[in-house]
Amino acid sequence: MSTLTHTTSPARPRTDPEPAAASERRRRTSPGALLSKGVVNGLLIVAAFYTLMPVSWLLLAATKNPRDLFGTSGFALGDFNLFTNLHHVFTFNDGIYLRWFGNSVLYSVIGSGASTFLSVATGYAFDKYDFKGKEKLFAAVLAGVLVPTTVIQLPMYLLATKVGVVNTYWALLLPALVNPFGVYLARVFSEGYVPNEVLEAARVDGAGEVRTFAGIALPMLAPAFMTIFLFSFTASWNNFFGALVMLNDEKLYPVNLGLFMWNSVTQQQPEYYSLVITGSLVAVVPLIVAFVCLQRFWRSGLTAGAVK
Amino acid sequence: MAAPLAPAVKARHTSPAKPPGPSKLRRGQRRAAALFVTPFFVLFAAVMAAPIGYAVWMSLFQERSSGLGFGGTERVFSGLGNYTKALSDTGFRASFAHIALYCALYIPVMIGGSLVLALLVDSAMARAKRFFQLALFLPHAIPGLIASIIWIYLYTPGLSPVLDGIGALGGSWDFYSNDHVLSSMVNLCAWQWIGYNTVIFYAALQAVPRETIEAAVVDGAGALRTALQIKVPLIASAVVMTVLFTCVGAIQIFTEPKLLNQRGAPSVDTEWSPTLFIWKAGFVQHDYGLAAAASLLLALLGVILSYIVTRLGNRWKAAS
């Protein structure tokens, strides 16, 4: 979208090269300053419109019956049919959508919970302990961050066929457990959040290492846990390619693969449009709510990744 | 996957807590370390290292139909045969040309856009900073497949308010035509990632010491000059990391071309991107040797890209 690619910035009035704070103060209230304030905020509003418009359209489209969907223009309101559409989505094909939704929750919540626990324990050990080959192992973790996951999907599928886990819940859960980026983040957070002195004190008191980790370090790492969980959750909720490769049985589908299948017949059977649109909305709302409520955590995660 | 990847990001060394006590303590720590890292590395070996090793093994064999095409096939060792087969395949070669063209358009748009937006949010003149960050980040909360579906519908005549708007202004636009489909794809991906990277750059800008910026202002640099000459060089490493991750992501693009292809965009064929080619080779033609070789070539490209971008970034940092 070209609106966002302006690398030219708002034209600012050239001020004389006369220095210093006095001219700064004068300029702050000058018309030029007002203009640039308007331009800066105006550009941000345009950008926010661009990012929010498609989601708003989805919300509106989910309230329309199939006739209005094509009959009324995109942002005009048709008859309010949101509840009819929702009922249709939840009852269609014996309520398969709800099953998909449950599968997505299973893959994402259970899988990410376990994977985050593993990442935090591993990252903590990398930070606090010395062991043989530590930096080599950590280099392997960093290499793992850069391995394109889609590239190992096909051999993973063939291995899974050999082991007999293909087309089972394990086919998506097992790969989701390994999150190298989570280990990297956990190490960074452990450096920042868990002071060595606290561990020393616990050791002097005679607490074992595992108890120290579970009772003292883990609570300190709670924000890190949440951050890594969010990243991992997003990745597995997003994992469309993996599901497409690993699953044939539609009873095991996560929401996105189910929607993909519905979407692939819309051109022959337009009545599926409503199902896909309403189904997409139902899948997206919990994510948006989670992201808005958990802002603090993804922010800190992005910061940890960016400011190093 | 070897070590030239040493990323720009390195965890700081902190000295591990050294117990003053006897060796029993240290033994306990060794045991704990083993307990904490072993499960991860066992799984890491199973779902990352093993598939890569297996792909290497598979890529060295080809299926040959035995005899006169009757009966079964047999697997024969073919050395680098699959690699030459992949590299001489016009479809595979074309898929890299498509990706190169896509990156040439996508990376400047996305990185440039994110950088400009981050500087705007960071500027003293911006209002409602939290709201703007959240609004820009929101698309990232939406799964890629659903984002693609939404935009595909926004590209569809009859459904799309965007096309209605263009029509009302007397224009016309076909999002799927050969001339426009690449920009349609770039828009689809930029929408998902621009806000995410804006937040990353903004976070990096927060770490720029305020004194530095004040000093520039006192020296008479305007907001624009401060942004371009002071702030941008100071967050160069974040930009480089983002370009790196964007490249590695871009060569794996699958969902967007798959859906555009499903919609019948004429120039997006079933081998448009390398991952689509691999998908077709593996799951449609069942040529696993070719698919494995193509996968490894793609992974190799990812490594090379990472290496180049990291090297460039280091030189850039050294120069600034």
Side-chain angles (χ1 to χ4, degrees):
Chain A
M1 290 300 273
S2 53
T3 43
L4 282 190
T5 62
H6 281 305
T7 33
T8 51
S9 276
R12 273 186 350 89
R14 299 247 33 95
T15 45
D16 311 335
E18 60 162 318
S23 79
E24 255 310 297
R25 267 197 301 280
R26 264 209 311 282
R27 225 179 338 135
R28 209 158 277 162
T29 49
S30 71
L34 272 179
L35 178 74
S36 48
K37 197 177 276 192
V39 171
V40 165
N41 290 294
L43 285 173
L44 285 170
I45 288 167
V46 169
F49 173 79
Y50 167 66
T51 52
L52 297 179
M53 181 275 291
V55 188
S56 329
W57 173 80
L58 185 72
L59 186 58
L60 267 177
T63 67
K64 294 180 179 182
N65 63 23
R67 193 173 38 82
D68 285 344
L69 201 55
F70 285 88
T72 57
S73 90
F75 278 100
L77 282 166
D79 299 335
F80 188 80
N81 279 304
L82 179 61
F83 296 110
T84 327
N85 288 340
L86 285 172
H87 183 257
H88 187 42
V89 164
F90 291 138
T91 54
F92 184 81
N93 198 355
D94 296 332
I96 190 87
Y97 181 88
L98 276 173
R99 189 175 169 121
W100 291 343
F101 200 91
N103 291 341
S104 274
V105 170
L106 173 82
Y107 294 132
S108 302
V109 177
I110 309 279
S112 303
S115 130
T116 304
F117 184 77
L118 270 180
S119 298
V120 168
T122 312
Y124 167 85
F126 270 116
D127 173 37
K128 298 298 178 206
Y129 297 123
D130 260 333
F131 46 91
K132 237 179 42 201
K134 172 168 141 172
E135 291 312 320
K136 279 203 179 68
L137 281 176
F138 198 66
V141 171
L142 290 177
V145 172
L146 293 173
V147 172
T149 40
T150 48
V151 165
I152 55 174
Q153 200 71 60
L154 174 98
M156 207 192 296
Y157 163 81
L158 295 169
L159 279 178
T161 317
K162 279 200 175 10
V163 186
V165 296
V166 87
N167 207 20
T168 65
Y169 283 116
W170 290 109
L172 286 193
L173 279 173
L174 278 177
L177 289 177
V178 176
N179 177 6
F181 185 62
V183 173
Y184 162 76
L185 274 184
R187 182 178 182 168
V188 173
F189 275 118
S190 170
E191 283 164 7
Y193 285 13
V194 186
N196 292 337
E197 297 74 30
V198 176
L199 302 187
E200 300 278 5
R203 277 170 197 149
V204 169
D205 293 346
E209 294 299 327
V210 177
R211 253 194 57 202
T212 309
F213 171 69
I216 296 170
L218 207 49
M220 288 178 165
L221 286 168
F225 191 97
M226 205 57 223
T227 301
I228 296 167
F229 178 82
L230 260 181
F231 272 80
S232 163
F233 176 87
T234 315
S236 51
W237 195 277
N238 254 322
N239 186 7
F240 159 70
F241 188 65
L244 184 69
V245 169
M246 291 287 193
L247 305 175
N248 298 322
D249 180 358
E250 69 165 15
K251 287 201 171 66
L252 302 178
Y253 284 2
V255 169
N256 53 17
L257 185 54
L259 289 171
F260 172 77
M261 292 301 172
W262 279 353
N263 179 57
S264 54
V265 294
T266 46
Q267 279 170 299
Q268 291 78 40
Q269 305 177 48
E271 63 272 24
Y272 272 82
Y273 273 116
S274 278
L275 281 173
V276 177
I277 286 171
T278 313
S280 297
L281 182 71
V282 175
V284 157
V285 166
L287 296 175
I288 292 179
V289 171
F291 264 82
V292 174
C293 295
L294 301 172
Q295 278 187 75
R296 200 158 62 84
F297 297 107
W298 53 256
R299 265 176 219 277
S300 63
L302 293 181
T303 316
V307 185
K308 303 272 22 130
Chain B
M1 305 296 292
L5 310 173
V9 190
K10 258 271 189 330
R12 281 193 321 280
H13 274 296
T14 50
S15 53
K18 279 229 165 43
S23 63
K24 207 174 93 177
L25 257 180
R26 244 178 311 230
R27 215 173 34 242
Q29 285 186 38
R30 264 208 305 279
R31 266 211 300 273
L35 179 72
F36 289 157
V37 303
T38 305
F40 174 83
F41 279 103
V42 167
L43 282 163
F44 184 83
V47 305
M48 285 198 118
I52 292 171
Y54 191 52
V56 172
W57 174 253
M58 270 194 315
S59 72
L60 301 175
F61 292 89
Q62 280 177 347
E63 302 270 331
R64 291 272 163 78
S65 50
S66 48
L68 300 164
F70 298 114
T73 55
E74 48 172 356
R75 289 180 62 211
V76 287
F77 182 80
S78 64
L80 295 179
N82 282 314
Y83 293 90
T84 48
K85 189 171 158 187
L87 288 171
S88 58
D89 188 300
T90 45
F92 192 56
R93 292 221 293 245
S95 75
F96 282 99
H98 295 152
I99 292 295
L101 197 60
Y102 161 80
C103 282
L105 192 59
Y106 174 60
I107 287 179
V109 167
M110 204 276 301
I111 300 285
S114 298
L115 200 51
V116 169
L117 287 171
L119 290 167
L120 287 173
V121 176
D122 190 56
S123 82
M125 291 170 264
R127 295 278 162 270
K129 292 179 186 224
R130 281 189 88 82
F131 165 78
F132 280 125
Q133 280 184 77
L134 194 61
L136 296 174
F137 191 85
L138 187 82
H140 196 73
I142 290 165
L145 176 89
I146 295 180
S148 301
I149 287 180
I150 296 174
W151 274 105
I152 292 275
Y153 291 5
L154 290 173
Y155 294 160
T156 301
L159 264 180
S160 165
V162 178
L163 284 166
D164 290 346
I166 294 172
L169 295 172
S172 71
W173 188 265
D174 176 1
F175 283 103
Y176 301 118
S177 73
N178 295 356
D179 296 348
H180 300 159
V181 76
L182 192 63
S183 55
S184 301
M185 204 178 304
V186 165
N187 168 57
L188 219 169
C189 300
W191 184 75
Q192 291 176 69
W193 287 96
I194 207 158
Y196 177 88
N197 291 319
T198 299
V199 173
I200 288 191
F201 293 159
Y202 178 75
L205 285 170
Q206 296 309 292
V208 172
R210 294 293 121 180
E211 304 82 66
T212 315
I213 294 177
E214 275 158 25
V217 171
V218 169
D219 289 347
L224 185 59
R225 265 190 65 190
T226 310
L228 295 180
Q229 293 186 342
I230 310 287
K231 291 179 179 178
V232 173
L234 282 170
I235 62 164
S237 65
V239 175
V240 169
M241 280 304 287
T242 305
V243 170
L244 161 68
F245 284 121
T246 305
C247 287
V248 173
I251 60 171
Q252 300 178 67
I253 190 169
F254 177 84
T255 309
E256 292 82 1
K258 175 108 185 143
L259 284 170
L260 285 165
N261 167 262
Q262 237 184 20
R263 281 280 136 176
S267 61
V268 182
D269 57 16
T270 51
E271 306 178 332
W272 189 91
S273 75
T275 35
L276 280 171
F277 178 89
I278 292 163
W279 166 265
K280 190 174 168 180
F283 294 98
V284 182
Q285 299 159 342
H286 298 292
D287 187 345
Y288 296 132
L290 179 66
S295 295
L296 289 166
L297 288 168
L298 187 60
L300 185 69
L301 178 69
V303 174
I304 292 170
L305 278 176
S306 310
Y307 183 68
I308 292 173
V309 177
T310 312
R311 281 294 297 273
L312 279 179
N314 288 344
R315 207 176 313 160
W316 184 15
K317 267 202 299 229
S320 65

